[in-house]
Amino acid sequence: MEMIEVEDYQEMSRVASQFIIEKVQLLDNPVLGLATGSTPEGVYKQLIEKRKQGNVSFANTSTFNLDEYVGLDGDDPNSYRYYMNEKLFSHIDIPGENTRVPNGMKKDLEQECGQYEQLIKEKQGIDLQMLGIGLNGHIGFNEPGTSLQTRTHVVELAQSTRKANARFFDSLEEVPEQAITMGIETIMASREIILLVSGERKAEALDRLLNGPVTEDFPASILQTHPNVKIIADRAARSLMKK
Ligand code: PGA
């Protein structure tokens, strides 16, 4: 894993967006893996800005999001489909059909998971996957204890994750209990990964990622075994790092 030290959230967002833009400009049909949550919002703002300036086109880009809540449809402001449309897709020139987010409304969720894997395969896999990290080390919604050999699957959300995400909902009760997520193996199959870490509250997770063992108890630790991971971490997130 390569560490890219940045000063703050702004710089993290700038650097990450630059990696994405370079990939989009380099490849004929780039395939991006995208994330939601607070961490990537600044990246999406940068991408929209660059698109507006005419510096980049996403017309040939395809995207796969990491995860989606079960039971929320794309019109629900708390769904990740809605988040992606609002924060990125509707502001850039990517064709709607090129944007994929698991559908948590499908009756047969297992089938949806299989189809998602199939779609990724048809696009020859993900060129660049952007990740955040949960306080408990989850990547996507792969919570501690998830087998490291999973493909896209349905998960029960950890209570701590529901609490962490309750800030986006009116109450904790409204946070869904299940989600669909790319599995660890799906994420690890990406050719390149950028992991964004910002703020002091993520410092412990970053320390564990860098210095802890590879274990299912801390799913992000598997990234230690991926050949092409860049961690873009700001000063506050690095505050527990040994010099
Ligand atoms: P955050 O979430 O970006 O909202 O901190 C990251 C995650 O839980 O993966």
Side-chain angles (χ1 to χ4, degrees), residues 36-40 132-134 138 140 167-168 201-202:
T36 49
S38 304
T39 306
I133 182 170
H138 72 202
R167 66 189 193 277
F168 300 110
R201 74 188 189 103
K202 295 286 175 76

Side-chain angles (χ1 to χ4, degrees), residues 56-109:
V56 62
S57 169
F58 297 91
N60 296 323
T61 298
S62 298
T63 65
F64 288 92
N65 265 78
L66 282 168
D67 44 19
E68 178 62 287
Y69 290 114
V70 167
L72 301 190
D73 76 25
D75 294 331
D76 188 312
N78 279 313
S79 72
Y80 288 161
R81 163 53 77 181
Y82 187 93
Y83 171 111
M84 289 309 302
N85 288 348
E86 287 292 303
K87 296 195 191 296
L88 182 65
F89 298 148
S90 59
H91 307 283
I92 60 174
D93 62 338
I94 191 165
E97 66 271 21
N98 287 11
T99 70
R100 305 279 181 179
V101 181
N103 185 343
M105 292 299 286
K106 283 281 175 71
K107 249 205 173 71
D108 189 339
L109 293 172

